[in-house]
Amino acid sequence: RLMPGLELARAFRRSLTGAELKSLPGYGDPRGAPSLRTALARYLSAERGLTIGADDILVTRGSQMALFLAAAVLKPGDAVAVEDPGYPLAWKAFRAAGARVVGAPVDAHGLDVERLEALLARDPAIRAVYVTPHHQFPTTVTLGAGRRLRLLELACRHDLILIEDDYDHEYRFEGRPVLPLAARALSQGQNANRIIHIGSVSKLLSPVVRIGYATGAPDLIQAMTARREAIDRQGDLPLERALARLIDDGELGRHARKARKIYEQRRDLLCAEIAARLGDAVAFDKPAGGLALWLRVSPDIDAAAWAAEAERSGLILTHGGQLLLQPSRSHDPGANAFRIGFASLDEAELVRAVTRLKAAQPR
Ligand SMILES: Cc1ncc(COP(=O)(O)O)c(C=O)c1O
């Protein structure tokens, strides 16, 4: 709801009515509008330490399409290891692209790289790893430096593709955002060309604006572009050009700074409300970034039953059991939890949500 709609509408109108689009001979580049790829390359260099150019970027319709296309670089029979608990829509995309999906456990520090290594030894068909290192989905934790290095080293040793989903990079409240795996790999000359870094404007602007992007080595971007052309000849050129304008004008950066402040206040309010009103029923760590809390529910309360009761009062909650790849792990104490997003609720709505959550708590 914070989306700078007027600014985007103005840029869209200029883009649609300007001479440049009219002078295009027909279809555009399937990798996306050159002006947006140039703007994104500059933005990603400045904000994420990715030293890339416009030709290294493929613009997609949201990161969902980029995830699907990333799996398209694999061969039939290949598998992708994914964080478990994790992001079910990514699993859906990988499966739709023909890959097998294998769960790699997540602990309090993010992807358990040691157990991933054991998994790789057992299942040589794993050719890629999907990871959300900045703010793990759903637990929100940031993958530490030691595990990052180990993961890069593993990827090198097993010749794996790392699919890095950096969906909410801009929202870091404590300190500076942590640079992506792709930036670290680039700076160390370490298998950078085997990382597909994926981003989106869904959190930055709104999920109704379907623009995401992927960057990686030329052969990977080429393979993804070929598959993209098969399902979608090109993106929405006027929208892509409008977004390029917002980036070039500095509007996107201004919006991100403003939104970050508001979301930080919402995070703090939600944390304070939950701590004051839910007491020992839940425990959580205040997330350093991202737009959600991961609430660990007390072992004597069933999070799924609590969520079902909350739904009767109109409060839709995602509980940990819904985010497990292997339902057999649903008794895992780590899954007895909720992921609660706070970005789309204003202060009064957040307070109301906690009131409903409290009222729905099983006794
Ligand atoms: C882990 C993860 N990746 C990516 C996205 C963004 O998806 P999209 O760009 O397709 O809207 C989200 C949105 O909730 C997400 O949670």
Side-chain angles (χ1 to χ4, degrees), residues 52-361:
I52 52 173
D55 284 342
D56 301 314
I57 293 185
L58 165 64
V59 175
T60 57
R61 294 193 197 255
S63 41
Q64 190 60 28
M65 180 191 262
L67 292 169
F68 173 78
L69 298 175
V73 305
L74 300 175
K75 289 194 291 298
D78 284 353
V80 184
V82 301
E83 296 162 326
D84 185 17
Y87 185 50
L89 278 177
W91 313 337
K92 219 175 190 176
F94 300 150
R95 286 180 177 134
R100 183 163 58 85
V101 172
V102 181
V106 166
D107 64 15
H109 308 285
L111 175 67
D112 186 334
V113 180
E114 212 163 287
R115 290 174 73 185
L116 171 67
E117 186 168 8
L119 197 64
L120 292 171
R122 281 202 306 277
D123 190 344
I126 297 174
R127 304 305 319 139
V129 179
Y130 168 70
V131 63
T132 50
H134 201 210
H135 304 124
Q136 201 271 332
F137 186 99
T139 62
T140 78
V141 299
T142 302
L143 198 67
R147 287 193 182 191
R148 282 170 186 252
L149 286 175
R150 187 96 185 264
L151 180 59
L152 288 172
E153 188 266 316
L154 263 188
C156 234
R157 188 144 42 89
H158 291 264
D159 193 24
L160 300 171
I161 290 174
L162 293 180
I163 303 170
E164 176 177 42
D165 182 354
D166 205 359
Y167 60 104
D168 60 2
H169 185 90
E170 289 75 14
Y171 299 116
R172 189 76 183 178
F173 310 120
E174 318 295 343
R176 301 262 315 139
V178 179
L179 289 185
L181 288 168
R184 187 188 283 266
L186 274 172
S187 72
Q188 297 180 348
Q190 203 178 13
N191 69 325
N193 48 0
R194 306 326 288 165
I195 299 182
I196 298 174
H197 178 87
I198 291 174
S200 168
V201 301
S202 287
K203 304 288 181 196
L204 200 47
L205 290 176
S206 160
V208 302
V209 176
R210 299 309 299 157
I211 293 189
Y213 48 87
T215 174
D219 62 319
L220 298 177
I221 292 300
Q222 221 169 47
M224 291 172 71
T225 304
R227 179 60 78 96
R228 190 254 161 81
E229 250 186 316
I231 56 168
D232 187 20
R233 173 68 183 77
Q234 67 176 35
D236 182 334
L237 216 47
L239 178 63
E240 290 178 6
R241 291 168 58 89
L243 178 61
R245 199 156 263 154
L246 287 196
I247 297 175
D248 291 341
D249 290 352
E251 188 58 50
L252 197 75
R254 275 192 293 282
H255 170 70
R257 285 190 290 280
K258 182 175 131 198
R260 194 180 302 129
K261 279 196 197 118
I262 294 172
Y263 291 151
E264 184 175 3
Q265 287 163 3
R266 291 181 182 177
R267 175 200 66 165
D268 291 347
L269 175 75
L270 181 61
C271 288
E273 283 291 311
I274 287 175
R277 295 166 65 194
L278 296 182
D280 294 341
V282 296
F284 63 92
D285 300 309
K286 198 182 216 182
L291 302 176
L293 290 194
W294 180 245
L295 283 189
R296 300 182 299 275
V297 175
S298 162
D300 53 339
I301 304 175
D302 178 4
W306 192 349
E309 186 56 35
E311 196 171 334
R312 280 189 267 282
S313 68
L315 180 67
I316 309 294
L317 284 174
T318 306
H319 66 85
Q322 294 170 297
L323 304 170
L324 284 175
L325 182 70
Q326 296 155 16
S328 59
R329 289 186 54 228
S330 64
H331 296 298
D332 187 330
N336 200 42
F338 297 127
R339 179 174 163 99
I340 303 192
F342 51 79
S344 59
L345 301 177
D346 66 23
E347 301 200 346
E349 289 165 336
L350 284 170
V351 171
R352 261 204 315 276
V354 178
T355 302
R356 285 187 188 174
L357 188 57
K358 174 74 190 158
Q361 184 182 328

